[in-house]
């Protein structure tokens, strides 16, 4: 998308993505106006979320210089419709932002019509400071951690930020001094961490090796703390091998998870709600792929709500399955829900199909890999999946979790891949991609 013009105040009629150079220029101008001695040398865009004509949120890592040397600063930026950024900046200042090394915790990007929050300041994540400052973390979380581990006097000795998505979440690795434990902490903009920890607790009643152990939840910071488990995700290509042991292991673990009844705190899957949300997102994009995806979703009504309350992972893809040797474990339960198994299985199959599109995998190999995954799940669970529901879920997931997210997150994809994803979704809705399954 084109860069925003550099006019005096909130130029442009549409929200577009500024160039990296324009962002760095606007940040340096804002720092200069604030009397800061920091200057941005370079800028790396880490995340982007776009809703045309509504919002643009960018996460970046800035390499900065000041008289004391060079350092890195995480920054969250939101861009507004013409004429609104000044008032939004004033509102942010009223919330008493924490001073950052660069100076003020909030900056007005005057030329681009935006506001920048210097981490740990964030427009929505109120508890990020607990992961940015060891003292604050220990004051807020150490008592609960010691209670959970049945220890005393253990405190965090090092915190490493792993991932920061402005207005959404911040994840860190936490080393505990004097103990063998290493934890993962995740601050969110809402209470999704409560649901994630409840799902972990429920899943571990099935198997202690199925997922990380939940440790504690710090309410005032929306901070969920859990065990860090050994293992790493495998390359996606491993799951597209029709004879893949990785796929069989992942499906066995998923079948174990589904044997648990979801705790009451988890919401039921809302097929209709997810479909409508995706339709709303797609309606803002002017591209052939978005128009075709929108029509597909509109033409395929959501299935009737299911009364099933099986424990669902909610966001199962290759990165959320860790392997240590031949043993698999599931991580990241923030999207956990209650519902039928077709939801998780279909989401995983959609991930397989999407990656097959990106690497140009031949149709026959993909069909065999998909059939193998379904067969592995059936053998592990002893259950027969509904073909109609599975077909609908795969098609819907390809649109909502692959096409729509590629557009809203402005991901760079191989030429023609979004159109190919829509083609794949059409075949999935028709049952073609899962018809060979046993």
């Amino acid at each position: 998308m084109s860069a925003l013009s550099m006019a005096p105040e909130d130029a442009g009629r549409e929200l577009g993505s500024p160039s990296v150079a324009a962002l760095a220029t606007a940040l340096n101008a804002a720092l200069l106006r604030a009397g800061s001695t920091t200057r941005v040398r370079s800028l790396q865009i880490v995340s982007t979320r776009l809703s045309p004509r509504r919002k643009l949120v960018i996460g970046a890592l800035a390499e900065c210089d000041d008289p004391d040397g060079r350092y890195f600063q995480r920054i969250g930026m939101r861009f507004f419709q013409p004429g609104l950024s000044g008032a939004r900046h004033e509102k942010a200042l009223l919330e008493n932002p924490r001073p950052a090394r660069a100076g003020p915790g909030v900056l007005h990007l005057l030329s681009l019509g935006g506001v920048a929050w210097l981490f740990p300041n964030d427009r929505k994540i109120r508890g990020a400071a607990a992961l940015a400052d060891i003292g604050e973390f220990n004051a807020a979380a150490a008592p609960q951690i010691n209670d959970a581990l049945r220890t005393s006097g253990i405190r965090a000795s090092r915190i490493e930020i792993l991932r920061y998505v402005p207005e959404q979440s911040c994840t860190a690795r936490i080393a505990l001094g004097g103990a063998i434990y290493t934890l993962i902490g995740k601050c969110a903009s809402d209470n999704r961490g409560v649901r994630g920890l409840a799902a972990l607790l429920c899943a571990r009643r099935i198997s202690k090796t199925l997922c990380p152990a939940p440790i504690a939840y710090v309410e005032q910071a929306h901070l969920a703390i859990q065990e860090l488990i050994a293992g790493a995700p495998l390359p996606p290509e491993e799951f597209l091998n029709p004879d893949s042991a990785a796929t069989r292991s992942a499906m066995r673990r998923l079948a174990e998870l589904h044997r648990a009844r979801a705790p009451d705190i988890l919401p039921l899957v809302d097929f209709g709600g997810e479909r409508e949300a995706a339709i709303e997102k797609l309606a803002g994009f002017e591209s052939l792929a978005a128009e075709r995806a929108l029509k597909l979703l509109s033409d395929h009504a959501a299935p009737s709500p299911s009364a099933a309350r099986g424990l669902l992972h909610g966001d199962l893809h290759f990165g959320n399955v860790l392997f240590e040797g031949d043993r698999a474990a599931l991580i990241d339960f923030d999207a956990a829900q209650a519902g039928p198994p077709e939801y998780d299985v279909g989401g995983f199959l959609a991930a397989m199909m999407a990656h097959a599109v990106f690497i140009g995998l031949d149709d026959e190999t993909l069909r065999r890999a998909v059939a193998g995954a379904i067969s592995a799940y059936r053998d592990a669970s002893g259950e027969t999946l509904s073909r109609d529901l599975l077909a609908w879920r795969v098609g819907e997931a390809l649109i909502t979790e692959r096409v729509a997210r590629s557009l809203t997150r402005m991901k760079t994809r191989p030429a023609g891949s979004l159109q190919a994803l829509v083609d794949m979704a059409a075949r999935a809705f028709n049952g073609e991609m899962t018809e060979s399954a046993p």
Side-chain angles (χ1 to χ4, degrees):
M1 301 183 69
S2 61
L4 297 177
S5 58
M6 303 286 283
E9 166 65 27
D10 291 358
R13 295 180 180 275
E14 298 290 336
L15 289 175
S17 179
S19 67
V20 172
L23 288 170
T25 298
L27 283 165
N28 279 325
L31 288 166
L32 186 62
R33 286 195 304 273
S36 172
T37 57
T38 286
R39 294 296 175 266
V40 174
R41 289 175 51 89
S42 64
L43 200 66
Q44 177 187 354
I45 303 302
V46 178
S47 65
T48 306
R49 285 181 293 136
L50 171 68
S51 295
R53 295 179 293 278
R54 291 180 56 197
K55 75 173 182 182
L56 172 63
V57 179
I58 294 176
L61 183 65
E63 183 182 15
C64 303
D65 280 338
D66 69 8
D68 293 325
R70 188 164 298 172
Y71 67 98
F72 289 91
Q73 173 68 57
R74 293 177 177 84
I75 305 174
M77 295 169 275
R78 176 178 272 254
F79 299 88
F80 301 93
Q81 291 290 352
L84 297 180
S85 67
R88 295 301 180 98
H89 177 243
E90 291 297 326
K91 180 181 178 181
L93 290 176
L94 293 175
E95 296 174 354
N96 298 316
R98 293 168 175 262
R101 177 170 170 176
V106 178
L107 300 170
H108 186 194
L109 306 182
L110 189 67
S111 60
L112 299 180
V115 177
W117 284 261
L118 305 186
F119 186 84
N121 296 288
D122 185 274
R123 181 172 174 267
K124 291 185 177 180
I125 307 172
R126 301 306 184 200
L131 292 179
D133 183 277
I134 288 182
E136 289 202 26
F137 177 86
N138 284 324
Q144 293 186 54
I145 291 173
N146 280 285
D147 284 347
L149 299 180
R150 298 180 181 178
T151 56
S152 62
I154 288 181
R155 298 168 66 83
S157 58
R158 184 170 183 269
I159 299 177
E160 176 190 1
I161 303 295
L162 300 177
R163 187 167 185 256
Y164 168 55
V165 181
E167 303 188 18
Q168 185 171 314
S169 64
C170 178
T171 305
R173 180 186 290 116
I174 303 156
L176 300 182
I180 62 172
Y181 297 106
T182 302
L183 307 177
I184 290 290
K186 189 171 186 177
C187 276
S189 58
D190 56 23
N191 68 346
R192 73 189 71 175
V194 174
R195 300 191 297 272
L197 294 182
L200 291 176
L201 182 62
C202 183
R204 285 177 64 87
R205 294 190 183 116
I206 300 297
S207 170
K208 297 293 186 185
T209 64
L210 183 54
C211 61
I215 302 297
Y217 186 74
V218 182
E219 178 67 37
Q220 66 268 30
H222 284 174
L223 171 60
I225 303 169
Q226 62 184 257
E227 170 192 27
L228 173 67
I229 60 173
L234 297 179
E237 288 76 13
E238 290 283 342
F239 298 94
L240 294 175
N241 177 354
D243 300 317
S244 170
T247 299
R248 291 194 295 274
S249 294
M251 291 298 100
R252 280 197 297 268
R253 303 256 72 177
L254 186 60
E256 285 184 75
L257 180 71
H258 290 167
R259 286 203 289 271
R261 187 184 186 279
D264 291 340
I265 194 174
L266 298 186
L268 277 169
V269 166
D270 182 2
F271 289 110
E274 291 191 5
R275 173 177 171 270
E276 292 305 315
I279 287 174
E280 182 179 353
K281 288 180 183 178
L282 290 166
F285 290 93
E286 297 178 357
S287 71
L288 182 57
E291 291 173 6
R292 291 184 59 220
L294 182 60
K295 186 176 188 308
L296 263 181
L297 276 184
S298 300
D299 289 346
H300 291 83
S304 300
S306 171
R309 282 207 61 90
L311 176 57
L312 302 180
H313 181 278
D315 187 26
L316 191 67
H317 55 74
F318 312 132
N320 283 338
V321 185
L322 300 188
F323 284 85
E324 186 181 29
D326 59 357
R327 189 177 72 181
L330 308 181
I331 62 167
D332 196 356
F333 280 69
D334 283 359
Q337 302 179 77
E342 289 84 359
Y343 186 89
D344 275 346
V345 177
F348 191 80
L349 296 182
M352 294 173 65
M353 294 177 195
H355 193 71
V357 166
F358 299 148
I359 66 173
L361 186 69
D362 67 275
D363 209 54
E364 176 58 27
T365 301
L366 175 59
R367 285 174 177 272
R368 290 174 55 213
V370 167
I374 297 173
S375 179
Y377 180 85
R378 179 207 61 192
D379 292 346
S381 67
E383 301 290 336
T384 300
L385 297 168
S386 164
R387 292 199 178 196
D388 289 343
L389 181 54
L390 183 62
W392 188 91
R393 168 57 178 155
V394 173
E396 181 260 354
L398 281 166
I399 297 297
T400 61
E401 298 173 12
R402 304 298 157 182
V403 176
R405 286 184 186 177
S406 291
L407 291 169
T408 60
R409 298 178 185 181
M410 302 177 69
K411 292 185 175 181
T412 302
R413 297 297 191 193
S417 62
L418 288 188
Q419 290 278 22
L421 280 178
V422 178
D423 291 338
M424 185 71 75
R427 296 169 65 191
F429 274 125
N430 292 333
E432 180 183 340
M433 298 309 300
T434 49
E435 65 182 2
S436 62

